[in-house]
Amino acid sequence: MPPVLDPVRLPYLLVFGGVTLACFGLATVLARQQTAAGERELTALFVAIGCWNACSVGLLLVPRQFAVRPLFAGSLLMAIVVSVVWLRFAQVYCGQDPLPIPGRRYLVIGALMAALVLPITNSLHGLVWTDITVQYRYNIPVFLAERGPAHHVLTGASYLFTFASVRCLAIRFWNARITRPAILSVLVGFGLSISANLLPVVSDLLIEYPPAVTAGGGAFGAFGVLVAVRSDLSGTVSIARRSVFDTLADPAVVVDTGGHVLAANEAFVQTFGDPTTGEPFTATNPGLARQLDADAIDRQTVQVDGEDDATHYSVIASPVGVDGTRGRSLVFRDISDLRSATRRLERQNEHLDELAYSAAHNLRNPLGVIDGYAGMIRSELDDVDDPSFDRDRVQGHVDKVAANSQRMEEIVTDLLCVTHASKADGEREWVSLGALAEAAMDAVNGVENLRLTVAEDGEVRSNPEQFEMLLSTLVRASRDRSGDEQVSVRLTASEDGFVFEDDAESIDEQDAEVFLSYGYATKYPGTGLGLAVARMLATSHEWEIDIDGSYDGLRVVVSGAAVRPATDTRS
């Protein structure tokens, strides 16, 4: 009778050989169906246990002295590898370190290196096996290893790694509450694994070497882990995900990496029709597929034409599986009402801008008439010969009319700046802070007493027209507060913006926050719109603008901008 079919050896071969094939089969299935974190490590765990059991099969099929030592060495090595892979699986799956001790990494690497080197060099030191003898049981040779200190140390390390991992997983299931029954699978599986070490004590086995015997028990431990993990991932989590997917009010569909439909919820079927599972999404819903970028992960917009009007959907794509290896889900949200409301607001804003622009231009005509008549009155005052006529008092009244007319003209100018800025092209480019500051000085009238200094130049990424307008409003704020005195204006580029400073009239610290508000011109000269326009222009760039009330003068700090050195030649 061939040795393989020996009635004594055959049950062992069926157990270890069957476990080996089962482990490799499960590893193959898990490799193709990875759906959550930790399953990649679980796949490696089954591969390692399969190799571990293969060593036991080798001891049964090749019971020769020359093969025993390398098979014993391989069995000991795989026992350590399995415990280390199991440790890694618990770390990834539980999201925490199952062995939080100092030097854990060095301990793991040292155990692996020792399990590889010590058995190979055992003939030189005898630390793993002091001797290997042969006994005959049931007329079959059985090799017995007299274990040395290194064997016990490596076995202790494997138990340490395994127990730490079991504890970590048990705590994770216990804290999840709904998955507490899964703890039983882990404990039963690893209970069988540990009890395998007791078999040589209670019965005569054909394989006496403990790591080789434990290989079969290790498989039961791994099966217990698989049952526990699947009860969590494929049970609780998958059921919860499926419930959310099915009850989602928005249409949703899942496609694999090849673009084939895997599932669609009821909302998708009612909205876009029932796609055929397994068919390409481009064939079942070509209108949607043509508008979608297959590789895009950000939000996209698609349009579906109807009988009366088009419907717009925002599409959110999310990866399915580990790193998107299974495909992606597409959720369609109807944004037609939002788009309509946005368009209405845009049209209303356009109408308001047009009204303000028209009103501002129309106001300039009567203001010009007022200025003209005021000038005429001044020129005719000298021709009045009536001694009772108070020329100075009338001259004062005319000056007040002219001054208020000029203030209204500046308000109109600010109002036109606001409407013009809102219509300006929003495209941004790198512009020189110093060059735009000079342009802003040239654009403002009556700044002969202002002296501009660019303490540190730089390039700011902005809309040039809006940025120049912002600087112009700051310059006018300095001019309005300067009177007839000489005023220094200084600009300094910072890491994320710039600082505008002058030494004109100071701003009270309690007024700093409201000085940027519309109409705040009761205590300070100006229109009450200038710095509010600056705030609006800064906000349109998504910048922050603040006034330093503790500064002796005006100090405006703009932050949140993209700035680079003025000498930078990048585009």
Side-chain angles (χ1 to χ4, degrees):
M1 178 179 295
V4 175
L5 298 181
D6 185 284
V8 178
R9 186 182 288 108
L10 183 59
Y12 292 90
L13 290 173
L14 291 176
V15 171
F16 289 109
V19 169
T20 301
L21 295 176
C23 288
F24 288 143
L26 285 173
T28 303
V29 172
L30 286 173
R32 294 177 178 176
Q33 298 182 359
Q34 291 177 4
T35 58
E39 292 203 350
R40 184 177 302 170
E41 287 73 18
L42 188 58
T43 301
L45 180 63
F46 275 103
V47 171
I49 293 176
C51 295
W52 192 10
N53 279 270
C55 293
S56 300
V57 173
L59 287 172
L60 291 167
L61 293 179
V62 190
R64 298 291 184 271
Q65 184 71 32
F66 70 90
V68 167
R69 292 184 182 276
L71 289 172
F72 275 4
S75 181
L76 181 60
L77 174 62
M78 294 314 302
I80 295 294
V81 169
V82 165
S83 65
V84 171
V85 175
W86 169 232
L87 192 73
R88 174 60 180 166
F89 161 73
Q91 180 182 12
V92 173
Y93 181 73
C94 299
Q96 65 183 53
D97 193 347
L99 193 65
I101 60 176
R104 181 190 65 84
R105 178 177 299 180
Y106 300 104
L107 177 62
V108 171
I109 295 175
L112 285 172
M113 295 300 297
L116 177 65
V117 174
L118 290 177
I120 296 176
T121 60
N122 187 74
S123 59
L124 302 177
H125 49 70
L127 294 176
V128 183
W129 315 288
T130 57
D131 191 18
I132 296 179
T133 59
V134 180
Q135 290 186 2
Y136 281 86
R137 296 177 180 175
Y138 313 106
N139 296 323
I140 296 174
V142 175
F143 292 89
L144 304 178
E146 296 292 334
R147 296 180 292 278
H151 181 280
H152 296 296
V153 171
L154 292 175
T155 301
S158 68
Y159 277 126
L160 174 64
F161 301 157
T162 303
F163 287 147
S165 305
V166 172
R167 174 183 174 276
C168 184
L169 189 63
I171 293 174
R172 187 243 183 264
F173 282 131
W174 182 263
N175 291 337
R177 293 183 180 276
I178 196 171
T179 56
R180 287 179 180 178
I183 299 177
L184 183 62
S185 299
V186 177
L187 297 181
V188 169
F190 278 92
L192 292 173
S193 175
I194 299 302
S195 63
N197 278 338
L198 301 177
L199 291 177
V201 178
V202 299
S203 63
D204 293 332
L205 301 177
L206 292 186
I207 300 179
E208 190 69 28
Y209 184 54
V213 177
T214 312
F220 288 106
F223 294 153
V225 173
L226 181 61
V227 171
V229 169
R230 284 300 184 182
S231 71
D232 182 30
L233 298 180
S234 297
T236 307
V237 175
S238 294
I239 290 173
R241 288 176 178 170
R242 193 180 308 118
S243 299
V244 172
F245 179 79
D246 292 338
T247 59
L248 191 65
D250 297 320
V253 63
V254 180
V255 296
D256 62 14
T257 53
H260 299 86
V261 177
L262 297 179
N265 66 354
E266 186 63 27
F268 186 92
V269 173
Q270 293 179 358
T271 306
F272 304 113
D274 189 1
T276 304
T277 303
E279 292 295 323
F281 186 64
T282 53
T284 59
N285 299 88
L288 296 176
R290 279 194 300 269
Q291 302 180 63
L292 292 173
D293 183 355
D295 298 325
I297 58 175
D298 53 352
R299 193 184 300 268
Q300 304 180 63
T301 303
V302 299
Q303 175 180 321
V304 178
D305 296 326
E307 297 180 358
D308 301 326
D309 197 3
T311 304
H312 295 84
Y313 292 92
S314 174
V315 184
I316 302 175
S318 302
V320 176
V322 180
D323 298 327
T325 55
R326 300 292 308 281
R328 60 180 184 154
S329 64
L330 304 174
V331 179
F332 296 76
R333 176 157 296 176
D334 189 347
I335 58 171
S336 299
D337 293 340
L338 178 61
R339 287 174 64 93
S340 298
T342 302
R343 285 196 295 269
R344 285 196 302 271
L345 288 175
E346 290 174 350
R347 288 194 295 266
Q348 291 174 2
N349 288 336
E350 290 174 359
H351 294 329
L352 290 174
D353 288 342
E354 292 173 0
L355 178 61
Y357 194 74
S358 176
H361 273 289
N362 292 332
L363 281 173
R364 277 186 163 167
N365 292 329
L367 288 175
V369 174
I370 292 174
D371 285 339
Y373 278 107
M376 292 173 62
I377 293 173
R378 285 196 191 95
S379 65
E380 294 178 1
L381 285 177
D382 294 335
D383 297 334
V384 179
D385 295 331
D386 187 352
S388 63
F389 181 74
D390 191 345
R391 184 180 292 105
D392 292 336
R393 187 164 64 90
V394 174
Q395 179 69 45
H397 293 333
V398 173
D399 290 342
K400 289 181 180 180
V401 170
N404 281 276
S405 175
Q406 180 61 34
R407 186 168 184 268
M408 289 181 66
E409 173 65 27
E410 292 177 351
I411 291 175
V412 168
T413 300
D414 282 341
L415 186 58
L416 289 174
C417 285
V418 172
T419 56
H420 185 70
S422 64
K423 295 179 179 179
D425 187 2
E427 292 188 4
R428 302 180 186 183
E429 58 186 73
W430 291 104
V431 294
S432 170
L433 177 63
L436 283 187
E438 294 288 351
M441 291 286 290
D442 295 338
V444 178
N445 296 324
V447 293
E448 293 78 9
N449 60 331
L450 300 187
R451 181 167 50 86
L452 173 67
T453 302
V454 179
E456 184 172 345
D457 200 359
E459 292 186 354
V460 182
R461 187 167 182 79
S462 65
N463 174 269
E465 187 175 2
Q466 293 181 345
F467 192 18
E468 181 182 340
M469 199 178 303
L470 188 157
L471 294 176
S472 298
T473 60
L474 297 178
V475 170
R476 282 202 287 124
S478 298
R479 180 204 64 186
D480 293 340
R481 295 169 21 263
S482 66
D484 297 330
E485 298 178 357
Q486 288 292 323
V487 171
S488 296
V489 175
R490 183 171 59 255
L491 271 172
T492 306
S494 61
E495 293 183 355
D496 64 341
F498 64 93
V499 178
F500 178 94
E501 299 169 320
D502 70 27
D503 55 3
E505 181 184 357
S506 299
I507 305 297
D508 291 341
E509 191 166 357
Q510 63 269 23
D511 297 334
E513 293 185 6
V514 294
F515 197 66
L516 295 170
S517 301
Y518 287 107
Y520 195 80
T522 58
K523 295 175 60 175
Y524 307 97
T527 66
L529 284 177
L531 289 188
V533 173
R535 184 191 64 180
M536 187 204 71
L537 293 170
T539 303
S540 68
H541 281 80
E542 298 177 354
W543 299 343
E544 296 288 337
I545 182 169
D546 297 292
I547 292 180
D548 184 358
S550 62
Y551 186 74
D552 187 13
L554 175 65
R555 187 172 192 267
V556 179
V557 180
V558 177
S559 59
V563 182
R564 69 184 187 186
T567 56
D568 201 324
T569 58
R570 292 174 297 176
S571 59

